[in-house]
Amino acid sequence: MSPQDKLGRNLSMLTDFYELTMSNGYLQNGMKDTVAVFDMFFRRIPDGGGFAIFAGLEQLIEYLSNLSFTEEDIGYLRSKNCFCEEFLDYLLHFKFQCDIWAMKEGTPIFPGEPVVVVRGPVIQAQLVETMVLLTINHQSLVATKANRVVRAAQGRSVFEFGSRRAQSYDGAVLGARAAYIGGCDATACVIADRDYGIPAVGTMAHSWVQMFSSEYESFAEYAKLYPDNCTLLVDTYNVLSSGIPNAIKCFNEVLLPMGYRPKGVRIDSGDIAYLSKKARKMLDEAGFDYVNIVASNSLDEYIIRDLLIQGAKIDLFGVGENLITSKSDPVFGGVYKLAAVQKGEEYLPKIKISESIEKITTPGFKMVYRFFSKETTLAVADLVTLHDEAVDASRPVTIFDPIATWKKKTLQNVEAVELLTPIFRGGELVYRSPELSQIRSYCLDQVDHLWDEVKRFEHPHTYYVDLSHKLWSMKNALLEEISSQNTGAPQINEGTSF
Amino acid sequence: MSPQDKLGRNLSMLTDFYELTMSNGYLQNGMKDTVAVFDMFFRRIPDGGGFAIFAGLEQLIEYLSNLSFTEEDIGYLRSKNCFCEEFLDYLLHFKFQCDIWAMKEGTPIFPGEPVVVVRGPVIQAQLVETMVLLTINHQSLVATKANRVVRAAQGRSVFEFGSRRAQSYDGAVLGARAAYIGGCDATACVIADRDYGIPAVGTMAHSWVQMFSSEYESFAEYAKLYPDNCTLLVDTYNVLSSGIPNAIKCFNEVLLPMGYRPKGVRIDSGDIAYLSKKARKMLDEAGFDYVNIVASNSLDEYIIRDLLIQGAKIDLFGVGENLITSKSDPVFGGVYKLAAVQKGEEYLPKIKISESIEKITTPGFKMVYRFFSKETTLAVADLVTLHDEAVDASRPVTIFDPIATWKKKTLQNVEAVELLTPIFRGGELVYRSPELSQIRSYCLDQVDHLWDEVKRFEHPHTYYVDLSHKLWSMKNALLEEISSQNTGAPQINEGTSF
């Protein structure tokens, strides 16, 4: 039996080798039933933004639901001569037993808070590390970037056009999915429409225009074929002296007589600000003020913003490589860290120390709350607490900066929302992913509930992510304890990270 | 029937929507049997390097060999209400008929030369555009980056450790494949070993160390489990005061008594230059001068070069996100352009003009030759010719810069090698991909045959890629012709590209 994902694959063996050697080691060390808690969190928002968008949960669920190993996999692993038979047998009869909590897809997320929490036998919780990170890192990266681009477009449509420059097949397909969650309206990628219902759109390439004896002929033939969806690519020869005049002629002589209204023109090169303004004027004067101008040349959020500042007349943006790879910052640096180990009824907190304060992990089995102002409905702060800690928002809540502890803020008239939702309980799926369009709406709605100051592209306000007093105290007690055990050996440069 | 790739997928529907609307249009316009020639080429080498590495051909072959559409695909397309039944029937009974030439995987490639040439019915040659670009762009990107990192390591091993930060699943798996071609010795990614035979390696994560009551205990237990492959992660608490002393103790008290030699220590944080030198000294003094030091913290070719300049004592580099995503330049900008259309026995050359000279395409059905000096065995220049043009290297060959035509060079005592190899003939596969390890060896060997000046990381010498006189004349005649047809309308800014 080979369980498969949406594209027909079994990805159980997509894991770092050390996850397997460690899991094998835990088994052999009698830790088969030792329960550990791991957090996935991230430390830095791509592009220096004020928030990221959580995405990829549906694919993570698919992977975890299908996690199993074939006889062939076991044979391959056996050939490595480093796994014991008991472990190989464990894998062959693998049954996922973990509990998982995660943010809902489309949720704005912030550094330092757990976005996925995995609790279960360490042998299993360790094993899934690579795929948890790979899945969530990629889609969160692209959703975050897409949301920036969409916000730059100020209500104009953004189409995802990047398949050909994506980092391989899933990069294209699941990238299109993440871009849609982040707010794109459509994609060029057909399989993303077939499998995920993301509207696929497209016009023509320069090669279409070149295949005909003249630009006009290529337009006329296209218009006859697709009269109800006619967008013409006008920059193969010369936008203003050839493309736009030929498009207008085609609209007048082919489309209107057929009883159809033209849809748009696409400009894919040249100075889009200048050309779009001139083109708009020509189209308007010809009576085509309703025809959209589509721009699609190496766009990103910064260029779109500048184009609009310069008064470019663009109705639709097609965004390619800069979106699908998040080119300006192509890595979402989520990490997966041990937070606690169960001992009897208790959770023994685990901390990873570092000379750089930001890299010290927050120990313990945790929950995350988001406070929304009842007055403005905007999100004001997130609070990371112990998992079973009650938060009573009916009374004023005082939060404080976990490093500069004298910085305090008292929240009144707020609503507290639990952000981590149960996804698996004892290995059983207890969550149903919403439709993709619902995830997208939820994302856009949640972003609307952020302060504008957090949404600035450069130097946004840092959103508060604070620790509950209980959690902060535990973390500090642990740090004190470790510090008192310190040998005191001089450590020049230790902990400086690149 | 649903043909599948190595991971069990049918990717035929992974295409831009406009490939389908154009193909449908060609069919309806009576161009079903019109033969076109398309070139894939690129314009800019990532990271400002002197060359790129061609990779991804094996996956492209897999895709083209399996290209076909299921009843479900056809049903989905029919629901779009824009494809004619004749086209849907054509897809349902699709039979690939194109000829394809391509560079061999692992070949150093340069801007402006065709790296894949597709000749066949335009309806088919157009259809495969997205996957040709997506497949080759991704793997060439990663192979190029990997080769830079490997060269920076100056003979030391480089391991690919980036799965968790890759841009989705294929980004990880096929990225590992491309990294191996570029010269990496191993990967952390298990599935890349299972499916592509790339050696998978791994040690332990910080969580392993944290799961035990002491660092020493975690080392000792690991050593007992994996005595013949024991590399210990020494930076969980403090490299010099704890990690290295505990590792030495473990080597002495556990491994040596078992009759095994320790293999290495891994440092994953802190100032690697400083720590590695200190660690080396401590290990040497303890009699472990043969124990490798592995470094793995946000490395790339620049940091590796600087570490080695500073005398860091590192034997092995584990490189993650910066390699697997080519973080510093994460897009390989290959394009796919119409070059010619067959008319009777002739090829009508097609050119895409642009105000910026570098963006003007080279028309025609072409071949690429590489000249190697018989004296030094180094590559001295590439020559792009018409496809059937004979190149006689037994006599002096004069080449000239296609833009600064007065810059000439006469090559003597050279050997001319055809770089474009037939892959498909009339849709039939006529090429067999070498073993991956052979591709890797070929790549490293070919890079050895480049001038050092071309291999510099910054401002490398621009390798000559010239046009044959015949091809150059044809291109210029076409440009003259188009220029004489120009309406002469003023075109401020046109062609300025972002």
Side-chain angles (χ1 to χ4, degrees):
Chain A
M1 189 197 64
S2 166
Q4 300 183 330
D5 76 343
K6 204 151 199 162
L7 281 170
R9 285 174 297 182
N10 177 3
L11 293 171
S12 300
M13 292 287 277
L14 179 33
T15 180
D16 282 350
F17 196 71
Y18 79 0
E19 318 285 14
L20 291 167
T21 49
M22 286 190 285
S23 291
N24 176 63
Y26 293 134
L27 187 83
Q28 293 199 52
N29 266 284
M31 297 187 201
K32 190 172 145 233
D33 299 315
T34 304
V35 170
V37 179
F38 284 83
D39 292 342
M40 175 183 177
F41 63 94
F42 72 112
R43 297 192 178 103
R44 200 185 58 78
I45 301 165
D47 287 311
F51 64 97
I53 299 293
F54 182 77
L57 181 61
E58 192 179 329
Q59 282 62 47
L60 181 60
I61 290 172
E62 217 163 57
Y63 157 73
L64 293 169
S65 301
N66 291 329
L67 190 53
S68 66
F69 300 84
T70 63
E71 289 279 3
E72 290 71 34
D73 293 337
I74 302 302
Y76 157 80
L77 291 173
R78 185 176 288 118
S79 76
K80 293 284 145 187
N81 289 319
C82 63
F83 302 107
C84 70
E85 282 303 317
E86 191 187 349
F87 178 67
L88 295 176
D89 191 64
Y90 181 90
L91 291 185
L92 188 61
H93 301 102
F94 190 87
K95 199 186 160 327
F96 188 55
Q97 293 168 276
C98 296
D99 302 320
I100 293 190
W101 294 259
M103 299 278 182
K104 287 181 185 155
E105 286 196 273
T107 302
I109 53 174
F110 301 91
E113 61 192 15
V115 296
V116 179
V117 173
V118 178
R119 179 181 67 176
V122 62
I123 179 172
Q124 297 198 355
Q126 183 71 64
L127 197 65
V128 302
E129 173 183 31
T130 305
M131 278 292 280
V132 170
L133 291 175
L134 174 49
T135 304
I136 303 298
N137 276 336
H138 169 244
Q139 289 200 46
S140 298
L141 177 77
V142 179
T144 302
K145 186 63 164 187
N147 190 260
R148 289 173 67 86
V149 174
V150 165
R151 282 182 286 130
Q154 298 179 35
R156 293 163 187 82
S157 281
V158 175
F159 292 171
E160 185 286 299
F161 277 0
S163 288
R164 64 190 56 194
R165 303 275 172 85
Q167 294 198 359
S168 208
Y169 314 129
D170 299 303
V173 183
L174 297 176
R177 179 183 186 274
Y180 187 66
I181 290 175
C184 286
D185 292 286
T187 179
C189 183
V190 178
I191 205 170
D193 184 353
R194 187 195 68 180
D195 293 350
Y196 298 101
I198 306 161
V201 295
T203 56
M204 60 179 70
H206 297 111
S207 52
W208 173 270
V209 180
Q210 291 179 285
M211 282 299 294
F212 292 82
S213 61
S214 74
E215 187 179 48
Y216 177 74
E217 191 194 345
S218 78
F219 287 177
E221 292 304 327
Y222 191 86
K224 287 180 214 159
L225 285 167
Y226 305 111
D228 58 342
N229 194 10
C230 183
T231 295
L232 301 171
L233 178 63
V234 293
D235 72 334
T236 303
Y237 301 108
N238 185 305
V239 175
L240 302 180
S241 69
S242 170
I244 295 289
N246 278 327
I248 289 172
K249 190 175 169 206
C250 170
F251 295 159
N252 278 321
E253 298 182 4
V254 181
L255 268 186
L256 296 186
M258 287 174 77
Y260 287 96
R261 280 160 74 92
K263 209 144 177 194
V265 295
R266 179 161 77 97
I267 306 174
D268 189 44
S269 60
D271 191 303
I272 307 272
Y274 172 83
L275 293 173
S276 68
K277 283 188 268 189
K278 289 278 178 186
R280 181 77 275 158
K281 202 153 168 278
M282 292 164 79
L283 289 166
D284 289 355
E285 286 171 3
F288 296 110
D289 57 359
Y290 57 86
V291 166
N292 284 328
I293 297 180
V294 185
S296 59
N297 180 25
S298 299
L299 302 174
D300 64 15
E301 68 269 43
Y302 304 105
I303 294 169
I304 290 175
R305 180 181 61 181
D306 278 2
L307 286 171
L308 295 181
I309 288 171
Q310 293 197 321
K313 300 292 185 190
I314 301 167
D315 305 289
L316 273 154
F317 295 96
V319 185
E321 62 194 48
N322 294 327
L323 194 168
I324 202 73
T325 67
S326 187
K327 190 179 178 195
S328 53
D329 205 351
V331 171
F332 194 87
V335 295
Y336 187 81
K337 297 288 177 190
L338 181 66
V341 177
Q342 199 172 17
K343 203 149 196 183
E345 295 296 294
E346 298 282 286
Y347 285 94
L348 210 65
K350 292 284 180 176
I351 194 165
K352 167 84 180 73
I353 54 170
S354 169
E355 291 287 314
S356 70
I357 295 174
E358 317 80 60
K359 281 203 153 186
I360 297 175
T361 63
T362 299
F365 176 33
K366 300 182 287 290
M367 176 46 77
V368 184
Y369 291 88
R370 179 158 297 166
F371 294 108
F372 291 91
S373 159
K374 285 185 181 165
E375 199 184 317
T376 63
T377 76
L378 298 180
V380 288
D382 285 5
L383 189 69
V384 186
T385 69
L386 286 171
H387 191 81
D388 50 6
E389 206 176 329
V391 168
D392 179 6
S394 67
R395 291 168 21 177
V397 182
T398 298
I399 58 172
F400 59 96
D401 186 296
I403 292 164
T405 51
W406 62 90
K407 290 191 183 172
K408 290 182 183 166
K409 193 179 166 76
T410 298
L411 310 175
Q412 305 206 36
N413 195 24
V414 292
E415 186 190 0
V417 175
E418 272 191 22
L419 291 188
L420 291 171
T421 303
I423 310 295
F424 286 89
R425 282 228 189 268
E428 293 302 317
L429 184 63
V430 294
Y431 178 79
R432 197 186 153 87
S433 277
E435 291 292 313
L436 196 61
S437 57
Q438 284 176 282
I439 295 175
R440 179 175 178 276
S441 307
Y442 169 76
C443 174
L444 298 178
D445 180 64
Q446 290 299 301
V447 171
D448 277 345
H449 286 85
L450 296 177
W451 284 88
D452 283 342
E453 287 74 1
V454 171
K455 291 192 264 189
R456 264 200 309 271
F457 286 154
E458 281 101 10
H459 304 293
H461 177 73
T462 302
Y463 182 85
Y464 300 120
V465 176
D466 293 343
L467 307 185
S468 73
H469 195 271
K470 230 168 160 178
L471 184 56
W472 181 89
S473 303
M474 186 184 82
K475 180 174 182 173
N476 272 270
L478 265 178
L479 285 170
E480 290 282 354
E481 190 187 319
I482 288 162
S483 159
S484 69
Q485 292 166 352
N486 202 312
T487 61
Q491 282 298 319
I492 301 162
N493 279 331
E494 175 110 20
T496 312
S497 68
F498 294 116
Chain B
M1 189 198 61
S2 167
Q4 300 183 331
D5 76 343
K6 205 151 199 162
L7 281 170
R9 285 173 297 182
N10 177 2
L11 293 171
S12 300
M13 293 287 278
L14 179 32
T15 180
D16 282 350
F17 195 73
Y18 79 0
E19 318 286 12
L20 291 167
T21 50
M22 286 190 285
S23 291
N24 176 63
Y26 293 135
L27 187 83
Q28 293 198 53
N29 265 283
M31 296 187 201
K32 189 171 146 236
D33 299 316
T34 303
V35 170
V37 179
F38 284 83
D39 292 341
M40 175 181 178
F41 63 95
F42 71 111
R43 297 191 177 105
R44 199 184 59 78
I45 301 165
D47 287 310
F51 64 96
I53 299 293
F54 182 77
L57 180 60
E58 193 180 328
Q59 281 62 47
L60 181 60
I61 290 173
E62 217 164 56
Y63 157 73
L64 293 168
S65 302
N66 292 327
L67 190 53
S68 66
F69 299 84
T70 63
E71 289 279 3
E72 291 71 33
D73 293 337
I74 302 302
Y76 157 80
L77 291 173
R78 185 176 287 118
S79 76
K80 294 283 145 186
N81 289 320
C82 62
F83 301 109
C84 70
E85 282 302 318
E86 190 188 347
F87 178 66
L88 295 177
D89 191 65
Y90 181 90
L91 290 186
L92 188 60
H93 302 100
F94 190 88
K95 201 189 158 323
F96 189 54
Q97 293 169 277
C98 296
D99 303 321
I100 293 191
W101 293 259
M103 300 278 182
K104 287 181 186 156
E105 286 197 272
T107 302
I109 53 174
F110 301 92
E113 61 192 15
V115 296
V116 179
V117 173
V118 179
R119 179 180 67 175
V122 62
I123 179 172
Q124 296 198 357
Q126 183 72 64
L127 197 64
V128 301
E129 174 183 31
T130 305
M131 278 293 280
V132 170
L133 291 175
L134 174 48
T135 304
I136 302 298
N137 276 336
H138 169 245
Q139 288 200 48
S140 297
L141 176 77
V142 179
T144 302
K145 186 62 163 187
N147 191 259
R148 289 173 67 85
V149 174
V150 165
R151 282 183 285 130
Q154 298 179 35
R156 292 164 188 83
S157 282
V158 174
F159 292 171
E160 186 285 300
F161 277 1
S163 288
R164 63 189 57 193
R165 303 276 170 85
Q167 295 198 358
S168 208
Y169 314 130
D170 298 304
V173 183
L174 297 175
R177 179 183 185 274
Y180 188 66
I181 290 176
C184 286
D185 292 286
T187 180
C189 183
V190 178
I191 206 170
D193 185 353
R194 186 195 69 180
D195 293 351
Y196 297 101
I198 305 161
V201 295
T203 55
M204 60 179 69
H206 297 111
S207 53
W208 172 269
V209 180
Q210 290 178 284
M211 282 299 292
F212 291 83
S213 62
S214 74
E215 187 178 47
Y216 178 73
E217 191 194 343
S218 79
F219 287 178
E221 292 304 328
Y222 191 86
K224 286 181 214 160
L225 285 166
Y226 305 111
D228 58 343
N229 193 12
C230 183
T231 294
L232 302 171
L233 178 63
V234 293
D235 73 333
T236 303
Y237 301 107
N238 186 304
V239 174
L240 301 180
S241 71
S242 170
I244 295 288
N246 278 327
I248 289 172
K249 191 176 168 204
C250 170
F251 295 159
N252 279 320
E253 297 182 4
V254 181
L255 267 185
L256 295 186
M258 288 174 77
Y260 288 96
R261 281 160 72 93
K263 210 144 176 193
V265 296
R266 179 161 77 97
I267 306 174
D268 188 45
S269 61
D271 191 303
I272 307 272
Y274 172 82
L275 292 172
S276 69
K277 283 188 269 190
K278 289 279 180 188
R280 181 77 275 157
K281 203 155 167 277
M282 291 164 78
L283 288 166
D284 289 355
E285 284 171 4
F288 296 111
D289 56 359
Y290 56 87
V291 165
N292 284 326
I293 296 180
V294 185
S296 60
N297 180 24
S298 300
L299 301 174
D300 65 14
E301 67 269 42
Y302 305 105
I303 293 169
I304 289 175
R305 180 180 60 181
D306 278 2
L307 285 171
L308 294 181
I309 287 172
Q310 293 197 322
K313 299 294 186 190
I314 301 167
D315 305 289
L316 274 154
F317 295 96
V319 185
E321 62 194 50
N322 294 327
L323 195 169
I324 202 73
T325 67
S326 187
K327 189 178 178 197
S328 53
D329 205 350
V331 172
F332 194 87
V335 295
Y336 188 82
K337 297 288 177 191
L338 182 66
V341 177
Q342 200 173 19
K343 201 148 197 186
E345 294 298 294
E346 298 282 286
Y347 284 94
L348 211 65
K350 292 284 179 175
I351 196 166
K352 167 84 180 73
I353 53 171
S354 168
E355 292 286 315
S356 69
I357 295 173
E358 319 79 60
K359 281 203 154 186
I360 297 175
T361 63
T362 299
F365 176 32
K366 300 181 287 290
M367 176 47 76
V368 185
Y369 291 88
R370 179 159 298 166
F371 294 108
F372 290 91
S373 160
K374 284 184 182 166
E375 200 184 316
T376 63
T377 76
L378 298 179
V380 287
D382 286 5
L383 189 70
V384 186
T385 70
L386 287 171
H387 191 81
D388 50 5
E389 206 176 329
V391 168
D392 179 7
S394 66
R395 290 166 24 176
V397 182
T398 298
I399 58 172
F400 60 97
D401 186 294
I403 292 164
T405 50
W406 62 91
K407 290 191 183 172
K408 290 181 184 169
K409 192 178 166 76
T410 298
L411 310 176
Q412 304 206 36
N413 196 25
V414 292
E415 188 190 356
V417 175
E418 273 190 21
L419 290 188
L420 291 171
T421 302
I423 310 295
F424 286 88
R425 281 229 189 269
E428 292 302 317
L429 184 63
V430 294
Y431 178 78
R432 196 185 156 86
S433 278
E435 291 292 313
L436 195 61
S437 58
Q438 285 177 282
I439 295 174
R440 180 175 178 275
S441 306
Y442 169 75
C443 175
L444 298 178
D445 180 63
Q446 291 298 301
V447 171
D448 277 344
H449 286 85
L450 297 178
W451 286 87
D452 282 343
E453 287 74 2
V454 172
K455 291 192 264 189
R456 263 200 309 270
F457 286 154
E458 281 101 9
H459 304 295
H461 177 74
T462 302
Y463 182 85
Y464 299 120
V465 176
D466 293 342
L467 307 185
S468 73
H469 194 271
K470 229 169 160 177
L471 184 57
W472 182 88
S473 303
M474 186 184 82
K475 180 174 181 173
N476 272 270
L478 265 178
L479 285 171
E480 290 283 353
E481 191 188 320
I482 289 162
S483 159
S484 70
Q485 292 166 354
N486 201 312
T487 61
Q491 282 297 319
I492 302 161
N493 280 331
E494 174 109 20
T496 311
S497 68
F498 294 116

